[in-house]
Amino acid sequence: INVASNDPDEASIDIPVTLNISSGGTPSISVSPSTLPFGDVYVGSSGTEQFTITNSGDGTLSGDITTPAGYTVSVARAIAYNDDTKKTKKQEDENNRNILAYSVAPSDSKTFDLVFEPTAEQLYSGNVVITHNAAGGDETVAVSGTGTPTPTPDITTTPASYNKTLAPEATDTENLTIGNVGDANLDYSVAIAYTTRNIVMRNDRDYCASAFS
C-alpha cells in the first residue's frame, strides 16, 4: 500500500501486504448403507429407500449422484401434508432426478431418497455413483429390484345360471355367491335383467332388498 503526503521527509511510504489464500479445509466422505435391495415392486408403482452421505472433514463436500435406469434420487425432506397442500405428481417428478448435484457442509450429513419405479417385468440392478471432491475414487451404492406384474382381481360367480319353475304367486329364494381369486380388491355391482314380476334381490351383508315389477 502506498501512502502519499506533503511530509517533506516522507512524501511516499510503501506498506507491504501479504495475502494468504486458505484452501478452505479438506472434506471427507462416507456413504451408508452400501447396498439397497428393493425386492419385488409392482409395475406402475414405486418403492423408496434412503442413503446418507456424511462429511466428517473440515471442508465442504460436493459432487454429483447418478442413478441407474429405473431409479431416481432426491434430497429427503420431511413435508407435512393436508387436504389443502398436497404434493402433486408433477412436483414429485421435478424433485426426483437421475443426476443430482449435492453439497454437504463440514461435520454434517445429508440423507437422500432413492425411488425405484419399474416400468417392465424385469430385474433392475446397478450402482448409484457418487462423485466427490474428497480424496479417493467415486463412492457407490449397489441397488437391485424386480418389477412384478400389477395385481388384478379375478371374479367367480356361483352358480353359473338359474333355472326355476314356480306356480303363480309362489316365491322362492336362490343364493348368488361372488368370489375373488385374484390378488387385488374386486369392486362389483349386481343388476337384474328381467321380464317377469316381483323379483327381489337381497344382499346378505347389508340386507337391502329391492322389488322389481
Side-chain angles (χ1 to χ4, degrees), residues 144-186:
S144 63
T146 302
T148 58
T150 303
T152 57
D154 187 359
I155 190 172
T156 61
T157 56
T158 306
S161 64
Y162 294 93
N163 188 350
K164 298 292 293 187
T165 300
L166 296 176
E169 305 301 326
T171 62
D172 195 8
T173 300
E174 292 287 349
N175 293 321
L176 171 64
T177 301
I178 298 175
N180 176 21
V181 295
D183 49 11
N185 290 336
L186 173 70

Side-chain angles (χ1 to χ4, degrees), residues 155 157 176 178 187-193 201-203 205 212:
I155 190 172
T157 56
L176 171 64
I178 298 175
D187 297 323
Y188 69 91
S189 62
V190 178
I192 296 179
M201 182 169 61
R202 166 178 170 174
N203 185 340
R205 292 176 299 179
F212 300 85

Side-chain angles (χ1 to χ4, degrees), residues 7 14 20 71-73 84 92 116-117 131 137 142 155 163 170 207:
D7 185 330
D14 290 326
N20 295 314
Y71 299 87
T72 55
V73 64
D84 297 326
E92 291 176 350
F116 172 45
E117 190 169 6
T131 63
I155 190 172
N163 188 350
Y207 194 71

